[in-house]
Amino acid sequence: MKITFMGAGSTVFVRNVIGDSMCSETLRDSEFALYDIDGVRLKESETILTAMNDTMGGHAKITTYLGVENRKEALRGASFVINAIQVGLYDPCTIIDFEVPKKYGLRQTIGDTLGIGGIMRALRTMPVLEDFARDMQEVCPDAWFLNYTNPMAMLSGYMQQYTGIHTVGLCHSVQACRKDLLRLLDMEQYFDGGKELIAGINHMAWLLECKDKDGNDLYPIIRERAKQKMLDSECRDKVRLDYIDKFGYYCTESSEHNAEYNMFYIKSNYPELIEKYNIPLDEYPRRCVNQIEGWKKEFEEIKAQGVKTHNRSSEYASHIMESIVTDTPYKIGGNVLNKGHLISNLPEEACVEVPCLVDGMGIHPTYVGSLPVQCAAMNMTNINVQLLTVEAFVTKKKAHIYQAAMLDPHTGSELDIDTIVKMVDDLIDTHGSWLPKFN
Protein backbone atom coordinates (compact mmCIF):
# COMPACT_ATOMS: atom_id res chain seq x y z
CA MET A 1 0.00 0.00 0.00
CA LYS A 2 1.16 3.52 -0.76
CA ILE A 3 0.49 6.53 1.49
CA THR A 4 1.51 9.88 0.04
CA PHE A 5 2.20 12.90 2.22
CA MET A 6 1.87 16.25 0.44
CA GLY A 7 3.84 18.97 2.19
CA ALA A 8 6.25 16.55 3.83
CA GLY A 9 8.52 19.47 4.69
CA SER A 10 6.16 19.98 7.64
CA THR A 11 8.61 17.81 9.50
CA VAL A 12 7.08 17.74 12.98
CA PHE A 13 3.62 16.93 11.64
CA VAL A 14 4.79 14.35 9.10
CA ARG A 15 6.80 12.68 11.87
CA ASN A 16 3.67 12.39 14.01
CA VAL A 17 1.30 11.15 11.31
CA ILE A 18 3.72 8.75 9.61
CA GLY A 19 5.02 7.72 13.03
CA ASP A 20 1.43 6.86 14.00
CA SER A 21 1.14 4.77 10.85
CA MET A 22 4.37 2.93 11.65
CA CYS A 23 2.78 1.96 14.99
CA SER A 24 -0.04 0.19 13.15
CA GLU A 25 0.56 -3.43 12.08
CA THR A 26 -1.87 -2.77 9.24
CA LEU A 27 -0.01 0.26 7.88
CA ARG A 28 3.62 -0.15 8.89
CA ASP A 29 4.63 -2.15 5.77
CA SER A 30 3.43 0.63 3.46
CA GLU A 31 5.41 2.81 1.13
CA PHE A 32 5.38 6.31 2.59
CA ALA A 33 5.88 8.71 -0.31
CA LEU A 34 7.06 12.14 0.84
CA TYR A 35 6.41 15.09 -1.47
CA ASP A 36 7.52 18.71 -1.11
CA ILE A 37 8.90 21.58 -3.17
CA ASP A 38 11.57 22.45 -0.56
CA GLY A 39 14.52 20.09 -0.92
CA VAL A 40 16.11 20.94 2.42
CA ARG A 41 12.95 20.35 4.43
CA LEU A 42 12.16 17.20 2.44
CA LYS A 43 15.61 15.78 3.22
CA GLU A 44 15.17 16.52 6.92
CA SER A 45 11.87 14.63 6.96
CA GLU A 46 13.39 11.72 5.06
CA THR A 47 16.30 11.56 7.53
CA ILE A 48 14.06 11.53 10.58
CA LEU A 49 11.50 9.07 9.20
CA THR A 50 14.19 6.69 7.95
CA ALA A 51 15.82 6.67 11.37
CA MET A 52 12.44 6.26 13.07
CA ASN A 53 11.58 3.38 10.75
CA ASP A 54 14.87 1.64 11.56
CA THR A 55 14.22 2.09 15.29
CA MET A 56 10.71 0.64 14.93
CA GLY A 57 11.71 -2.46 13.00
CA GLY A 58 12.34 -1.27 9.45
CA HIS A 59 8.98 -2.37 8.05
CA ALA A 60 8.23 0.70 5.92
CA LYS A 61 9.61 1.92 2.64
CA ILE A 62 10.39 5.66 2.58
CA THR A 63 10.50 7.40 -0.80
CA THR A 64 10.87 11.09 -1.64
CA TYR A 65 9.63 13.22 -4.52
CA LEU A 66 10.93 16.77 -4.93
CA GLY A 67 9.27 19.46 -7.00
CA VAL A 68 6.17 19.87 -9.15
CA GLU A 69 7.74 17.80 -11.94
CA ASN A 70 7.70 14.73 -9.65
CA ARG A 71 4.31 15.33 -8.04
CA LYS A 72 2.37 12.96 -10.25
CA GLU A 73 4.77 10.11 -9.50
CA ALA A 74 4.45 10.83 -5.79
CA LEU A 75 0.70 10.37 -6.11
CA ARG A 76 0.70 7.45 -8.54
CA GLY A 77 -1.03 4.42 -7.06
CA ALA A 78 -1.60 5.96 -3.65
CA SER A 79 -4.42 4.63 -1.50
CA PHE A 80 -4.34 7.66 0.78
CA VAL A 81 -3.07 11.20 0.29
CA ILE A 82 -2.40 13.30 3.40
CA ASN A 83 -2.31 17.03 2.78
CA ALA A 84 -0.38 19.43 5.05
CA ILE A 85 0.92 22.06 2.64
CA GLN A 86 1.40 25.74 3.46
CA VAL A 87 1.47 27.75 0.25
CA GLY A 88 3.66 30.82 0.57
CA LEU A 89 4.96 29.81 4.01
CA TYR A 90 5.51 32.32 6.80
CA ASP A 91 7.81 34.41 4.65
CA PRO A 92 6.49 36.03 2.55
CA CYS A 93 2.80 35.21 2.62
CA THR A 94 1.88 35.07 6.31
CA ILE A 95 3.83 38.28 6.84
CA ILE A 96 1.82 39.88 4.03
CA ASP A 97 -1.46 38.58 5.52
CA PHE A 98 -0.71 40.43 8.76
CA GLU A 99 1.29 43.50 7.79
CA VAL A 100 -0.88 44.80 4.93
CA PRO A 101 -4.12 44.79 6.98
CA LYS A 102 -2.30 46.60 9.81
CA LYS A 103 -1.83 49.57 7.46
CA TYR A 104 -5.61 49.88 7.37
CA GLY A 105 -6.10 49.46 11.10
CA LEU A 106 -7.09 45.77 11.05
CA ARG A 107 -5.44 43.51 13.63
CA GLN A 108 -5.52 39.69 13.70
CA THR A 109 -4.45 36.87 15.99
CA ILE A 110 -4.01 33.76 13.78
CA GLY A 111 -5.32 34.64 10.31
CA ASP A 112 -5.36 31.10 8.90
CA THR A 113 -9.05 30.17 9.01
CA LEU A 114 -11.29 33.19 8.60
CA GLY A 115 -10.84 36.94 8.33
CA ILE A 116 -8.80 38.58 5.63
CA GLY A 117 -5.83 36.32 6.42
CA GLY A 118 -7.93 33.19 5.99
CA ILE A 119 -9.40 34.49 2.72
CA MET A 120 -5.96 35.16 1.23
CA ARG A 121 -4.55 31.85 2.44
CA ALA A 122 -7.45 30.00 0.82
CA LEU A 123 -7.09 31.82 -2.50
CA ARG A 124 -3.38 31.00 -2.81
CA THR A 125 -3.89 27.36 -1.74
CA MET A 126 -6.86 26.37 -3.91
CA PRO A 127 -4.88 26.55 -7.19
CA VAL A 128 -2.41 24.02 -5.76
CA LEU A 129 -5.23 21.74 -4.60
CA GLU A 130 -6.77 22.01 -8.06
CA ASP A 131 -3.50 20.68 -9.48
CA PHE A 132 -3.38 17.92 -6.87
CA ALA A 133 -6.93 16.88 -7.76
CA ARG A 134 -6.17 16.82 -11.48
CA ASP A 135 -3.16 14.56 -10.92
CA MET A 136 -5.09 12.32 -8.53
CA GLN A 137 -7.90 11.84 -11.04
CA GLU A 138 -5.28 10.49 -13.43
CA VAL A 139 -3.03 8.37 -11.20
CA CYS A 140 -4.99 7.51 -8.01
CA PRO A 141 -8.67 8.33 -8.60
CA ASP A 142 -9.95 6.14 -5.76
CA ALA A 143 -7.59 7.50 -3.09
CA TRP A 144 -8.87 9.29 0.00
CA PHE A 145 -7.61 12.85 0.43
CA LEU A 146 -7.12 13.58 4.14
CA ASN A 147 -6.84 17.35 4.44
CA TYR A 148 -5.12 18.96 7.43
CA THR A 149 -4.40 22.32 5.77
CA ASN A 150 -6.21 25.50 6.84
CA PRO A 151 -8.51 27.20 6.12
CA MET A 152 -10.09 23.80 6.63
CA ALA A 153 -13.71 24.49 5.65
CA MET A 154 -12.84 26.49 2.54
CA LEU A 155 -10.27 24.03 1.21
CA SER A 156 -12.13 20.83 2.11
CA GLY A 157 -15.38 22.31 0.82
CA TYR A 158 -13.75 23.24 -2.47
CA MET A 159 -12.30 19.74 -2.92
CA GLN A 160 -15.62 18.08 -2.07
CA GLN A 161 -17.79 20.30 -4.24
CA TYR A 162 -15.64 20.77 -7.33
CA THR A 163 -13.06 17.99 -7.79
CA GLY A 164 -14.71 14.58 -7.37
CA ILE A 165 -11.88 13.44 -5.07
CA HIS A 166 -12.87 11.53 -1.92
CA THR A 167 -12.05 14.17 0.68
CA VAL A 168 -12.43 14.66 4.41
CA GLY A 169 -11.08 17.54 6.46
CA LEU A 170 -9.42 16.66 9.77
CA CYS A 171 -8.71 18.86 12.77
CA HIS A 172 -7.43 17.69 16.16
CA SER A 173 -9.49 20.33 17.98
CA VAL A 174 -12.48 17.96 17.95
CA GLN A 175 -10.94 15.13 19.95
CA ALA A 176 -9.30 17.58 22.35
CA CYS A 177 -12.35 19.75 23.00
CA ARG A 178 -14.10 17.98 25.89
CA LYS A 179 -10.97 17.14 27.86
CA ASP A 180 -9.50 20.62 27.33
CA LEU A 181 -12.61 22.18 28.85
CA LEU A 182 -12.80 19.76 31.76
CA ARG A 183 -9.10 20.19 32.48
CA LEU A 184 -9.43 23.99 32.40
CA LEU A 185 -12.27 23.85 34.92
CA ASP A 186 -10.56 21.28 37.21
CA MET A 187 -13.07 18.58 36.31
CA GLU A 188 -10.63 15.81 35.35
CA GLN A 189 -12.64 13.30 37.40
CA TYR A 190 -15.11 13.26 34.50
CA PHE A 191 -12.55 12.28 31.83
CA ASP A 192 -13.22 8.54 31.74
CA GLY A 193 -16.31 7.11 30.13
CA GLY A 194 -17.87 10.44 29.28
CA LYS A 195 -19.95 11.14 26.21
CA GLU A 196 -20.13 14.16 23.93
CA LEU A 197 -21.81 15.51 20.82
CA ILE A 198 -19.86 18.03 18.76
CA ALA A 199 -21.18 19.62 15.57
CA GLY A 200 -20.96 22.89 13.67
CA ILE A 201 -18.13 24.08 11.44
CA ASN A 202 -14.38 23.72 11.70
CA HIS A 203 -12.90 25.74 14.58
CA MET A 204 -16.44 26.65 15.62
CA ALA A 205 -18.07 23.31 16.21
CA TRP A 206 -20.16 23.32 19.36
CA LEU A 207 -19.88 20.99 22.33
CA LEU A 208 -23.63 20.45 22.28
CA GLU A 209 -23.70 17.68 24.86
CA CYS A 210 -21.16 16.85 27.56
CA LYS A 211 -22.07 13.97 29.89
CA ASP A 212 -20.36 11.85 32.51
CA LYS A 213 -20.08 8.06 32.34
CA ASP A 214 -23.55 7.68 33.85
CA GLY A 215 -25.17 9.98 31.31
CA ASN A 216 -25.55 12.98 33.61
CA ASP A 217 -25.41 16.42 31.96
CA LEU A 218 -22.22 18.23 33.00
CA TYR A 219 -23.19 21.61 31.56
CA PRO A 220 -24.78 22.97 34.78
CA ILE A 221 -21.44 22.47 36.57
CA ILE A 222 -19.49 23.69 33.54
CA ARG A 223 -21.49 26.91 33.30
CA GLU A 224 -20.99 27.73 36.96
CA ARG A 225 -17.27 27.00 36.92
CA ALA A 226 -16.80 28.89 33.65
CA LYS A 227 -18.15 32.07 35.28
CA GLN A 228 -15.63 31.67 38.11
CA LYS A 229 -12.76 30.95 35.71
CA MET A 230 -13.50 34.18 33.84
CA LEU A 231 -12.38 36.01 36.99
CA ASP A 232 -8.90 34.47 36.70
CA SER A 233 -6.63 37.12 35.17
CA GLU A 234 -4.21 34.43 33.94
CA CYS A 235 -6.83 32.42 32.03
CA ARG A 236 -6.05 32.26 28.30
CA ASP A 237 -9.37 30.75 27.18
CA LYS A 238 -11.74 33.56 28.06
CA VAL A 239 -13.31 33.97 24.63
CA ARG A 240 -14.58 30.40 24.60
CA LEU A 241 -15.69 30.64 28.21
CA ASP A 242 -17.57 33.79 27.26
CA TYR A 243 -19.25 31.81 24.48
CA ILE A 244 -20.67 29.54 27.19
CA ASP A 245 -22.13 32.57 28.95
CA LYS A 246 -23.38 34.41 25.87
CA PHE A 247 -24.30 31.55 23.52
CA GLY A 248 -24.75 28.62 25.89
CA TYR A 249 -22.03 26.30 24.56
CA TYR A 250 -18.27 25.81 24.36
CA CYS A 251 -16.64 25.37 20.95
CA THR A 252 -13.77 23.36 19.55
CA GLU A 253 -10.93 25.72 18.70
CA SER A 254 -8.85 27.95 20.97
CA SER A 255 -9.73 31.44 22.14
CA GLU A 256 -6.89 33.01 20.15
CA HIS A 257 -8.60 31.64 17.03
CA ASN A 258 -12.17 32.47 18.02
CA ALA A 259 -11.29 36.01 19.05
CA GLU A 260 -11.16 36.93 15.34
CA TYR A 261 -14.12 34.88 14.08
CA ASN A 262 -16.69 37.43 15.24
CA MET A 263 -17.24 41.14 15.80
CA PHE A 264 -17.06 41.10 19.61
CA TYR A 265 -13.54 41.03 21.01
CA ILE A 266 -10.97 42.76 18.77
CA LYS A 267 -12.27 46.30 18.39
CA SER A 268 -10.11 49.35 17.86
CA ASN A 269 -12.65 51.54 19.67
CA TYR A 270 -12.53 49.25 22.72
CA PRO A 271 -8.82 48.49 23.25
CA GLU A 272 -9.48 47.44 26.84
CA LEU A 273 -11.07 44.21 25.54
CA ILE A 274 -7.65 42.90 24.48
CA GLU A 275 -6.45 42.83 28.07
CA LYS A 276 -9.82 41.79 29.50
CA TYR A 277 -9.98 38.67 27.34
CA ASN A 278 -6.19 38.05 27.10
CA ILE A 279 -6.25 38.23 23.30
CA PRO A 280 -2.79 37.65 21.75
CA LEU A 281 -2.67 39.93 18.71
CA ASP A 282 -0.14 38.83 16.05
CA GLU A 283 0.06 35.42 17.71
CA TYR A 284 0.55 33.39 14.53
CA PRO A 285 3.60 35.31 13.23
CA ARG A 286 5.24 34.95 16.65
CA ARG A 287 4.38 31.27 16.67
CA CYS A 288 5.87 30.80 13.19
CA VAL A 289 9.15 32.44 14.17
CA ASN A 290 9.38 30.36 17.34
CA GLN A 291 8.56 27.13 15.49
CA ILE A 292 11.17 27.80 12.81
CA GLU A 293 13.85 28.46 15.42
CA GLY A 294 12.67 25.61 17.62
CA TRP A 295 12.82 23.12 14.76
CA LYS A 296 16.40 24.09 13.87
CA LYS A 297 17.44 23.37 17.44
CA GLU A 298 15.44 20.15 17.65
CA PHE A 299 16.83 18.83 14.38
CA GLU A 300 20.41 19.36 15.58
CA GLU A 301 19.57 17.52 18.80
CA ILE A 302 18.03 14.65 16.85
CA LYS A 303 21.12 14.35 14.66
CA ALA A 304 23.33 14.29 17.75
CA GLN A 305 21.26 12.00 19.94
CA GLY A 306 19.41 9.85 17.43
CA VAL A 307 15.71 9.23 16.86
CA LYS A 308 13.67 7.56 19.56
CA THR A 309 10.64 5.40 18.98
CA HIS A 310 7.21 6.92 18.48
CA ASN A 311 4.06 6.56 20.56
CA ARG A 312 0.84 6.62 18.57
CA SER A 313 -1.11 9.86 18.98
CA SER A 314 -4.81 10.67 18.81
CA GLU A 315 -4.49 12.25 15.34
CA TYR A 316 -7.20 10.80 13.12
CA ALA A 317 -5.21 9.98 9.97
CA SER A 318 -3.67 6.61 10.88
CA HIS A 319 -6.88 5.42 12.54
CA ILE A 320 -8.94 6.34 9.47
CA MET A 321 -6.57 4.54 7.11
CA GLU A 322 -6.47 1.48 9.37
CA SER A 323 -10.27 1.45 9.63
CA ILE A 324 -10.79 1.60 5.86
CA VAL A 325 -8.16 -1.05 5.14
CA THR A 326 -9.40 -3.52 7.80
CA ASP A 327 -13.11 -2.65 7.64
CA THR A 328 -13.04 -1.98 11.38
CA PRO A 329 -15.51 0.72 12.48
CA TYR A 330 -14.06 3.95 13.87
CA LYS A 331 -15.64 7.28 14.79
CA ILE A 332 -14.21 10.70 13.93
CA GLY A 333 -15.26 14.32 13.77
CA GLY A 334 -14.89 15.11 10.08
CA ASN A 335 -15.32 18.10 7.78
CA VAL A 336 -17.73 17.20 4.99
CA LEU A 337 -20.30 18.87 2.75
CA ASN A 338 -23.66 19.33 4.45
CA LYS A 339 -25.38 17.14 1.85
CA GLY A 340 -28.84 16.03 2.91
CA HIS A 341 -28.77 18.71 5.60
CA LEU A 342 -26.74 16.78 8.14
CA ILE A 343 -27.11 19.98 10.16
CA SER A 344 -30.62 20.95 9.15
CA ASN A 345 -30.39 24.71 9.79
CA LEU A 346 -27.17 25.23 7.81
CA PRO A 347 -26.98 25.29 3.98
CA GLU A 348 -26.20 22.12 2.02
CA GLU A 349 -23.20 23.68 0.26
CA ALA A 350 -21.51 24.49 3.58
CA CYS A 351 -18.62 22.38 4.81
CA VAL A 352 -19.66 21.24 8.28
CA GLU A 353 -17.89 19.36 11.07
CA VAL A 354 -19.98 16.43 12.29
CA PRO A 355 -19.52 12.94 13.74
CA CYS A 356 -18.60 10.46 10.99
CA LEU A 357 -18.33 6.67 11.01
CA VAL A 358 -15.44 5.05 9.15
CA ASP A 359 -15.31 1.50 7.78
CA GLY A 360 -14.17 -0.42 4.72
CA MET A 361 -16.54 1.54 2.49
CA GLY A 362 -15.10 4.90 3.48
CA ILE A 363 -16.30 7.80 5.63
CA HIS A 364 -19.98 8.19 6.43
CA PRO A 365 -21.21 11.47 7.95
CA THR A 366 -24.04 11.21 10.46
CA TYR A 367 -27.22 13.27 10.77
CA VAL A 368 -27.19 15.80 13.60
CA GLY A 369 -30.36 17.84 13.08
CA SER A 370 -30.74 21.47 14.06
CA LEU A 371 -28.15 23.38 16.04
CA PRO A 372 -29.39 25.79 18.71
CA VAL A 373 -30.47 28.80 16.66
CA GLN A 374 -27.83 31.12 18.15
CA CYS A 375 -25.07 28.60 17.35
CA ALA A 376 -26.28 28.20 13.77
CA ALA A 377 -26.38 31.99 13.45
CA MET A 378 -22.78 32.28 14.64
CA ASN A 379 -21.72 29.57 12.19
CA MET A 380 -23.48 31.34 9.34
CA THR A 381 -21.40 34.50 9.83
CA ASN A 382 -18.38 32.31 9.03
CA ILE A 383 -20.03 30.17 6.35
CA ASN A 384 -20.93 33.30 4.34
CA VAL A 385 -17.24 34.16 4.09
CA GLN A 386 -16.24 30.58 3.30
CA LEU A 387 -18.73 30.18 0.45
CA LEU A 388 -17.88 33.53 -1.11
CA THR A 389 -14.15 32.78 -0.98
CA VAL A 390 -14.65 29.46 -2.76
CA GLU A 391 -16.88 31.23 -5.29
CA ALA A 392 -14.17 33.83 -5.85
CA PHE A 393 -11.65 31.16 -6.75
CA VAL A 394 -14.00 29.16 -8.97
CA THR A 395 -15.27 32.21 -10.90
CA LYS A 396 -12.04 34.29 -10.63
CA LYS A 397 -14.23 37.30 -9.84
CA LYS A 398 -12.54 39.90 -7.65
CA ALA A 399 -15.97 41.17 -6.57
CA HIS A 400 -16.49 38.00 -4.55
CA ILE A 401 -13.23 38.60 -2.67
CA TYR A 402 -14.47 42.07 -1.76
CA GLN A 403 -17.80 40.61 -0.66
CA ALA A 404 -16.16 37.89 1.43
CA ALA A 405 -14.09 40.53 3.23
CA MET A 406 -17.07 42.87 3.67
CA LEU A 407 -19.15 40.07 5.21
CA ASP A 408 -16.34 38.81 7.40
CA PRO A 409 -17.55 39.67 10.91
CA HIS A 410 -14.26 41.06 12.21
CA THR A 411 -13.24 42.92 9.04
CA GLY A 412 -16.70 44.35 8.40
CA SER A 413 -17.06 45.58 11.97
CA GLU A 414 -13.71 47.40 11.91
CA LEU A 415 -13.42 48.90 8.40
CA ASP A 416 -15.73 50.78 6.04
CA ILE A 417 -16.54 49.33 2.63
CA ASP A 418 -14.20 51.57 0.62
CA THR A 419 -11.28 50.79 2.92
CA ILE A 420 -11.99 47.06 2.65
CA VAL A 421 -11.80 47.29 -1.15
CA LYS A 422 -8.51 49.20 -0.96
CA MET A 423 -7.07 46.67 1.49
CA VAL A 424 -8.08 43.71 -0.68
CA ASP A 425 -6.53 45.33 -3.76
CA ASP A 426 -3.35 46.00 -1.78
CA LEU A 427 -3.20 42.38 -0.61
CA ILE A 428 -3.73 41.06 -4.13
CA ASP A 429 -1.00 43.31 -5.51
CA THR A 430 1.43 42.46 -2.69
CA HIS A 431 0.88 38.71 -3.02
CA GLY A 432 1.58 38.97 -6.73
CA SER A 433 2.12 35.57 -8.36
CA TRP A 434 1.12 33.70 -5.20
CA LEU A 435 -2.51 34.35 -6.22
CA PRO A 436 -4.35 33.49 -9.43
CA LYS A 437 -5.52 36.30 -11.67
CA PHE A 438 -8.94 37.75 -10.84
CA ASN A 439 -11.25 39.77 -13.08
Side-chain angles (χ1 to χ4, degrees):
M1 184 168 61
K2 184 176 181 179
I3 299 169
T4 299
F5 198 109
M6 310 300 282
S10 305
T11 309
V12 174
F13 191 65
V14 74
R15 177 180 59 184
N16 289 338
V17 172
I18 301 302
D20 287 350
S21 301
M22 290 178 180
C23 291
S24 165
E25 291 188 10
T26 302
L27 306 175
R28 66 184 184 183
D29 294 319
S30 300
E31 174 189 352
F32 296 102
L34 311 180
Y35 169 82
D36 207 279
I37 60 173
D38 185 323
V40 173
R41 296 295 298 273
L42 183 62
K43 186 62 179 179
E44 290 176 352
S45 293
E46 179 188 24
T47 299
I48 288 174
L49 289 176
T50 299
M52 183 185 293
N53 183 44
D54 292 341
T55 300
M56 298 174 69
H59 301 279
K61 178 182 179 182
I62 309 294
T63 56
T64 59
Y65 299 84
L66 175 62
V68 174
E69 64 274 16
N70 292 306
R71 184 178 64 211
K72 193 176 293 186
E73 286 309 307
L75 292 166
R76 189 177 302 279
S79 298
F80 300 96
V81 178
I82 301 164
N83 182 54
I85 63 173
Q86 183 183 359
V87 177
L89 301 175
Y90 163 67
D91 189 359
C93 286
T94 295
I95 295 173
I96 294 170
D97 288 343
F98 276 78
E99 293 304 315
V100 170
K102 277 185 190 178
K103 291 163 41 179
Y104 299 87
L106 188 65
R107 303 295 301 276
Q108 301 171 89
T109 53
I110 304 295
D112 73 345
T113 295
L114 205 73
I116 195 63
I119 292 168
M120 291 295 125
R121 180 181 282 235
L123 293 175
R124 64 178 178 261
T125 306
M126 285 181 201
V128 180
L129 295 192
E130 183 178 45
D131 290 341
F132 287 2
R134 188 181 300 111
D135 286 350
M136 289 180 67
Q137 288 286 15
E138 180 179 343
V139 300
C140 58
D142 297 323
W144 272 94
F145 189 78
L146 310 183
N147 179 50
Y148 277 99
T149 296
N150 285 323
M152 178 63 65
M154 299 185 202
L155 300 181
S156 300
Y158 164 71
M159 289 291 291
Q160 291 154 353
Q161 191 158 0
Y162 290 102
T163 71
I165 297 296
H166 301 304
T167 300
V168 65
L170 304 174
C171 179
H172 50 251
S173 64
V174 177
Q175 57 263 52
C177 179
R178 180 180 183 273
K179 284 191 174 181
D180 281 353
L181 175 59
L182 296 180
R183 186 179 296 109
L184 177 68
L185 301 180
D186 297 321
M187 295 173 63
E188 291 93 339
Q189 68 269 31
Y190 298 109
F191 273 6
D192 295 335
K195 299 176 182 178
E196 66 193 37
L197 173 62
I198 296 176
I201 60 172
N202 180 244
H203 285 190
M204 197 191 280
W206 304 97
L207 181 60
L208 298 170
E209 296 182 16
C210 185
K211 298 182 178 181
D212 68 13
K213 60 182 177 61
D214 298 316
N216 299 306
D217 183 10
L218 293 177
Y219 255 120
I221 305 173
I222 288 170
R223 291 189 175 102
E224 185 60 36
R225 293 203 180 190
K227 289 179 181 178
Q228 295 301 312
K229 193 66 178 177
M230 286 290 288
L231 303 176
D232 179 1
S233 62
E234 301 300 317
C235 178
R236 292 294 181 267
D237 202 19
K238 288 190 175 185
V239 169
R240 286 198 291 176
L241 294 182
D242 201 41
Y243 277 9
I244 296 175
D245 181 51
K246 303 301 191 300
F247 292 89
Y249 300 91
Y250 193 67
C251 80
T252 47
E253 189 47 83
S254 63
S255 283
E256 61 263 29
H257 277 275
N258 271 274
E260 63 183 6
Y261 298 166
N262 53 66
M263 63 289 285
F264 308 130
Y265 303 104
I266 306 174
K267 302 181 77 66
S268 55
N269 288 337
Y270 299 89
E272 68 275 11
L273 295 177
I274 301 303
E275 182 177 355
K276 178 180 178 180
Y277 289 97
N278 286 327
I279 295 170
L281 295 173
D282 297 323
E283 169 66 15
Y284 189 61
R286 282 195 301 273
R287 196 176 292 181
C288 289
V289 171
N290 291 336
Q291 286 175 341
I292 291 168
E293 292 303 312
W295 170 245
K296 290 179 182 177
K297 180 179 178 182
E298 184 180 356
F299 186 61
E300 292 304 316
E301 292 174 352
I302 289 172
K303 287 195 295 184
Q305 301 172 12
V307 176
K308 297 180 176 64
T309 189
H310 177 81
N311 295 316
R312 195 171 187 179
S313 75
S314 61
E315 290 288 357
Y316 282 141
S318 70
H319 298 280
I320 290 171
M321 294 186 289
E322 188 176 68
S323 174
I324 292 175
V325 171
T326 63
D327 193 21
T328 302
Y330 184 69
K331 177 188 171 185
I332 66 169
N335 289 271
V336 296
L337 281 186
N338 195 32
K339 287 184 177 178
H341 286 295
L342 302 168
I343 298 179
S344 55
N345 51 351
L346 295 180
E348 280 200 321
E349 61 269 27
C351 182
V352 295
E353 196 164 64
V354 296
C356 301
L357 299 178
V358 188
D359 62 16
M361 293 298 292
I363 297 171
H364 315 284
T366 64
Y367 176 80
V368 174
S370 294
L371 297 180
V373 64
Q374 71 277 13
C375 296
M378 278 285 282
N379 284 166
M380 278 306 305
T381 66
N382 286 221
I383 289 170
N384 293 331
V385 181
Q386 294 162 0
L387 295 181
L388 277 164
T389 303
V390 173
E391 190 73 7
F393 172 68
V394 172
T395 64
K396 301 300 185 293
K397 290 183 178 179
K398 192 183 294 186
H400 290 319
I401 309 177
Y402 298 148
Q403 292 155 0
M406 291 171 188
L407 289 170
D408 174 68
H410 175 46
T411 305
S413 68
E414 286 285 271
L415 306 181
D416 66 272
I417 288 179
D418 291 338
T419 301
I420 290 172
V421 171
K422 291 177 183 176
M423 179 183 67
V424 169
D425 285 341
D426 195 347
L427 281 161
I428 291 172
D429 290 342
T430 308
H431 275 95
S433 61
W434 288 107
L435 293 176
K437 298 297 182 184
F438 294 94
N439 303 314

